[in-house]
Amino acid sequence: MAKWEILQGLDRPFQERLHELYSKSLLPMDVRKHLASWIEDQNWYQAAMDPDTSHAYLLFHRLLDQLASQYNNYSQESDLLLQHNLRKFCRDIQALYQDKPNQLAGLFYDLLLEEKNIMSQAQRTQQSFFQDHVDPEVPMKTRQQQEIETRIQELKDMMQKLIKDVYNLSDLQDVFSFRFKTQNPSAPNQARQQQLLQETLNDLDRKRKEVLDASRTLLGQCSTLSTLLLQELDEWKEQQQKACIGAPAHRGVDQLESWFTDGAKILFQLKQQLQKLEDLSNEVSYENDPLKTKLPLQGLLELLQLLLQRAFIVESQPQMVLPVNRPLVLKTGNKFSVQTRLLVRLQDANEPLTVHISIDKHTPQIKGFRTFNILPSERKTLTPEKGRSQGLIWDFRCLTVKEQKTSVSGKGSSEGLPIVTEELHIFNFTVQYSYQGLKLDLKTNSLPVVIISNMNQLSNAWAAILWFNLLSSDPQNQKFFSKPPKAPWTVLGPALSWQFFSCTDRGLDQEQLNMLKKKLFGKEHKKESQLLLSWITFSKQDSPPGKQPFWTWFDKILDLVHTHLKEIWKDGHIKGFVTRAQALRLLEKKLPGTFLLRFSETSQEGGITCSWVEHQDDDKVVLQSVEPYTKEILQLVPITEIIRHYQLLAEENVPENPLCFLYPGIPRDEAFGPYYREKDDFMNHRKYLRRELIVVSNRQVDEVQSPCQSLEPEVPDLNLEPHLGWEQEPELPFDLQEIGDDLLTLKVNDIEALNNDILTRDAILLRDDPVLPILTPGDEGPTSVSHFMEGTATFDLPNY
């Protein structure tokens, strides 16, 4: 489609600008319309700017031919206005530009440039409209991406024209060869033959220069396109590197593959045309033949090699075949996968392509650096059939790495040897690529990986991967941890948020990030860009209040959220990274019973606690906090059920739930109701009642709670071995109190005694599911637990 047709489809304001442009121009608009394709195909810029006016004269005379042809076509029709404009424009340019054809070329160039500006402004206006009205989830093309697509289409059009011109040049050369071979020196018209032969040679020389100029222009445009494509590829690689450490998923490479393939096709077509021109020059040559010295074949091959080399990428970085979403950390003996791809989807029909994989091809000079073998195979072959159907993709699956044993022992602990989790390894890939006679060795590398031997090293290995991919300026620097740089908070903060986003689809808000910043840097008054954290402080140095490295504490909380708290974290019900003092400030002006969920700063295993506000009789506001719940507890009872059934013993041991409103003031059941377990339908035919575990804290009436004091529920660690054949009933460390016909309350007098004492007929297995009561001789039937709490357990007695 000619650009003129696109201009005719623009909105009315841009149509008016177009009419205004041609109302002031020598070129009538209807003449522009009928010569649209021819005008847009010419290189007016070169004709206007070249000091040599030969190209401008050529375009001038061709324009006269086009005008004459159009006039003759319409002479028999009734479009008198068009005939008039054609004839008048022809007379005008002959009168004005007969001796100044370069000025006429400048006129056309300026008109086309202004048309391009109008079209670009219309596209920007349309894009702005779509951004305001389309689904925000649908990504818009960037200006550079639009430019790439526009340039590809222009290059395709230029290539079609070049192919046609080379074909015409070949015909003209055949005419010259025929006239040269058939000339007769003794013929009476020999002078006329010599003149005609010279004119043909002049036409041939001029046509060769035109085709050569067109090919060089096309190569220059291809070079610009290649630069744009490589910029897009570099941006994709940067996004991939961040995505590996948890950033939002980067876009795929299908669009890049389409662009790279189109660009490479144009270059291969240009290579064919240049070779044809070289063949024509070998058949017919003369003094100062431009095809002998000015063919840009070497520059073309260099550009093609660069594009193909960069187009060979690692599409999916090495990752273990595990549900843990932590790529670039591999364990010896565990299977992993990695995928490479050639973005230029061009393959000879009978040429399979084989990719070879190796590890640490250029081993860094580091003492004690481990070496590995790749099992079971180090190659993968892609047949042309698979290449056509799926693309040039080599998917390595079920690979493993095995360490080569050396005399060095005590890896990671001996002085001078690198730590396992700070040792970086790189996978190398090579493929021998051939297409249309061009043969190249293409190479690419993975990002550095950390290879561990035990899964308890996974957390520290991931910290190393995180640090490297955030801060390394060289993605192949295997000596990075010999002197790791410090991390600015402006870089580290978003990366910590990515860790939560990658496993829960919700990152950290600004308040949570500020708490982490204060934990790492204290009350610093520096600008965020000046806050720098060392690798040792981040991953190795113990810090209060939990006396463990920051990353260890953070990663255990991340695991707790991913395993047990994912849904309520995603819905924003967990305040999270809030200190006790911050929690008091947030809650002190809220209604009594307002609570929030925050992560423990001291729990060694990663924990979450409930903190709520109470107003004393003396108007004193205090904060109550339950001892943190860890994975061990949450795998028995979900946090939502703990909140739902939590009990605090007040005067006369009357239980009440102090958790009434989720901060800032959402009723508890409104916030957590969607997560509550559905109640079982207790039918009469059920033999046993279903148990429920709840948490209860016991408050001493004569003690006043101070702010931030913990209420610590104790879970008795009951001995689960049955003891049979007792001669007499042992003294019990608890009392049984009857509540109703079917309920008994077990009141613990001495928890320590209960923990250490033998089991009685009232003890029961609490930690396994389903619950199996422990019986002694003479028991009439089992009991099942319905509630369990610190100090009190209520038993349901089934009816028999």
Side-chain angles (χ1 to χ4, degrees), residues 266-311:
I266 293 170
L267 287 173
F268 274 111
Q269 288 176 331
L270 181 56
K271 176 175 174 287
Q272 291 176 341
Q273 299 308 310
L274 292 180
Q275 288 173 340
K276 287 182 179 180
L277 292 176
E278 189 177 39
D279 293 339
L280 291 176
S281 179
N282 291 333
E283 292 174 2
V284 174
S285 185
Y286 48 86
E287 188 177 357
N288 297 324
D289 182 1
L291 298 186
K292 281 295 184 183
T293 57
K294 296 182 180 181
L295 274 180
L297 193 56
Q298 184 59 37
L300 168 70
L301 293 177
E302 291 175 358
L303 182 59
L304 195 52
Q305 290 174 10
L306 173 64
L307 194 69
L308 286 167
Q309 189 65 252
R310 294 290 302 279

Side-chain angles (χ1 to χ4, degrees), residues 27 53 68 86 142 229 251 434 437 446 452 524 546 574 578 729 762:
L27 175 64
T53 58
L86 287 169
T142 65
L229 291 179
R251 58 191 173 92
S434 62
S446 71
I452 59 177
E524 292 279 357
I574 298 177
V578 180
E729 189 81 354
D762 302 292

Side-chain angles (χ1 to χ4, degrees), residues 84-123:
H84 169 75
N85 286 336
L86 287 169
R87 187 168 58 250
K88 180 177 183 301
F89 181 64
C90 185
R91 289 199 305 266
D92 289 345
I93 62 174
Q94 286 179 315
L96 295 173
Y97 301 111
Q98 181 76 42
D99 299 324
K100 298 177 288 186
N102 55 334
Q103 293 185 12
L104 178 65
L107 170 81
F108 276 91
Y109 174 74
D110 291 339
L111 287 171
L112 294 176
L113 184 62
E114 186 58 32
E115 287 179 6
K116 184 177 181 181
N117 292 335
I118 294 173
M119 187 183 303
S120 298
Q121 187 172 353
Q123 291 174 343

Side-chain angles (χ1 to χ4, degrees), residues 359-641:
I359 185 170
D360 296 326
K361 188 172 184 180
H362 305 289
T363 305
Q365 299 301 313
I366 300 176
K367 179 183 178 182
F369 190 84
R370 294 174 299 165
T371 55
F372 294 89
N373 293 325
I374 300 176
L375 303 173
S377 175
E378 296 182 351
R379 65 180 63 190
K380 194 169 189 67
T381 300
L382 185 69
T383 62
E385 292 77 14
K386 281 191 175 181
R388 283 192 295 269
S389 62
Q390 71 178 31
L392 302 186
I393 299 172
W394 294 266
D395 194 0
F396 292 86
R397 292 183 177 272
C398 301
L399 297 178
T400 59
V401 288
K402 182 178 180 181
E403 184 177 357
Q404 297 179 13
K405 296 301 180 182
T406 63
S407 58
V408 179
S409 61
K411 177 68 177 175
S413 59
S414 301
E415 185 176 355
L417 295 183
I419 300 173
V420 167
T421 54
E422 296 180 2
E423 192 178 83
L424 301 176
H425 301 268
I426 294 177
F427 289 99
N428 316 105
F429 303 90
T430 59
V431 59
Q432 289 185 340
Y433 179 76
S434 62
Y435 184 72
Q436 292 188 1
L438 180 67
K439 296 183 181 295
L440 294 172
D441 288 333
L442 306 182
K443 301 176 182 179
T444 191
N445 301 313
S446 71
L447 291 171
V449 302
V450 173
I451 301 177
I452 59 177
S453 56
N454 194 299
M455 289 304 291
N456 61 16
Q457 299 169 322
L458 177 63
S459 180
N460 290 336
W462 182 246
I465 292 297
L466 184 69
W467 205 260
F468 175 88
N469 287 286
L470 280 178
L471 303 173
S472 178
S473 58
D474 178 8
Q476 305 298 311
N477 181 14
Q478 293 180 265
K479 296 182 179 181
F480 175 80
F481 284 101
S482 62
K483 191 177 180 181
K486 293 183 178 181
W489 173 250
T490 51
V491 174
L492 182 60
L496 296 179
S497 179
W498 297 341
Q499 306 312 297
F500 276 84
F501 182 86
S502 63
C503 63
T504 67
D505 293 330
R506 183 187 182 92
L508 303 177
D509 60 31
Q510 193 57 50
E511 290 183 6
Q512 293 162 340
L513 286 172
N514 286 339
M515 184 272 184
L516 293 175
K517 180 175 67 172
K518 187 175 294 185
K519 182 177 179 65
L520 286 169
F521 300 100
K523 295 182 179 180
E524 292 279 357
H525 297 290
K526 298 179 181 178
K527 295 181 180 179
E528 285 194 348
S529 59
Q530 297 175 333
L531 297 177
L532 302 176
L533 189 73
S534 70
W535 167 243
I536 293 177
T537 304
F538 178 75
S539 66
K540 300 179 182 181
Q541 180 177 300
D542 292 347
S543 60
K547 300 296 184 183
Q548 57 182 337
F550 170 84
W551 171 254
T552 302
W553 168 77
F554 182 88
D555 197 36
K556 287 181 178 178
I557 288 175
L558 183 64
D559 183 50
L560 183 74
V561 171
H562 179 253
T563 307
H564 297 293
L565 307 170
K566 185 174 183 178
E567 294 303 322
I568 62 172
W569 170 267
K570 184 177 179 180
D571 291 340
H573 294 329
I574 298 177
K575 198 66 178 175
F577 296 104
V578 180
T579 64
R580 289 186 177 93
Q582 289 172 331
L584 179 59
R585 286 195 295 271
L586 290 172
L587 296 172
E588 61 183 351
K589 294 183 180 180
K590 299 297 179 181
L591 292 173
T594 303
F595 69 99
L596 54 77
L597 298 173
R598 61 184 183 84
F599 300 129
S600 169
E601 294 184 86
T602 58
S603 174
Q604 294 290 321
E605 299 302 320
I608 188 170
T609 183
C610 294
S611 296
W612 71 93
V613 67
E614 288 186 355
H615 296 259
Q616 302 289 350
D617 293 337
D618 58 358
D619 295 332
K620 184 178 181 181
V621 179
V622 295
L623 185 75
Q624 306 286 13
S625 296
V626 180
E627 184 178 355
Y629 302 114
T630 61
K631 291 177 65 175
E632 184 179 5
I633 297 174
L634 295 181
Q635 66 187 1
L636 297 175
V637 190
I639 188 68
T640 52
E641 293 300 313

Side-chain angles (χ1 to χ4, degrees), residues 163-182:
I163 292 173
K164 183 178 179 180
D165 288 345
V166 172
Y167 179 80
N168 292 336
L169 176 63
S170 178
D171 286 347
L172 181 60
Q173 182 166 308
D174 289 342
V175 171
F176 173 79
S177 298
F178 175 78
R179 289 175 176 174
F180 180 79
K181 294 176 181 178
T182 58

